Structure formats: structure tokens, C-alpha cells
Amino acid sequence: MAKKSVASIQTGSKRLTKAIKMVKSEKTGAYTFVEQIMAPEDVNDFLKK
């Protein structure tokens, strides 16, 4: 993982976070971005995968 980014998003009464991480493909060696919107408590688990 070469890069990670986290942005906070507020929608109504829920607080959400959009996490973006860069993942290297094993087949081609190219990097792709994986984005997911989740609760702030789940960000560290997402980035460790």
C-alpha cells in the first residue's frame, strides 16, 4: 500500500468517513484505488487489509 487518504463526511445525524487506499495488482503490478464509505471506527481495519 503506497498511499492512504481519509476524508470526513457528515450526512444528517450519521457521521461517515470515506477512505481511499492504493492497492498494487499482483498480476500486472499496476496500482488501483479502492474507495469505501464507512463509520470512522472501521477505517483502521479497512486500511490494514
Side-chain angles (χ1 to χ4, degrees):
M1 178 173 55
K3 182 180 180 182
K4 58 185 173 182
S5 174
V6 177
S8 294
I9 302 168
Q10 288 185 344
T11 57
S13 63
K14 281 192 168 184
R15 183 182 167 106
L16 300 173
T17 302
K18 180 178 183 179
I20 305 169
K21 70 178 175 178
M22 210 165 140
V23 179
K24 188 173 184 176
S25 171
E26 293 181 12
K27 287 184 179 179
T28 63
Y31 286 94
T32 58
F33 291 97
V34 177
E35 300 180 18
Q36 191 170 352
I37 297 176
M38 66 196 81
E41 302 84 37
D42 301 332
V43 172
N44 287 334
D45 294 332
F46 172 73
L47 294 174
K48 288 180 184 177
K49 289 184 192 173

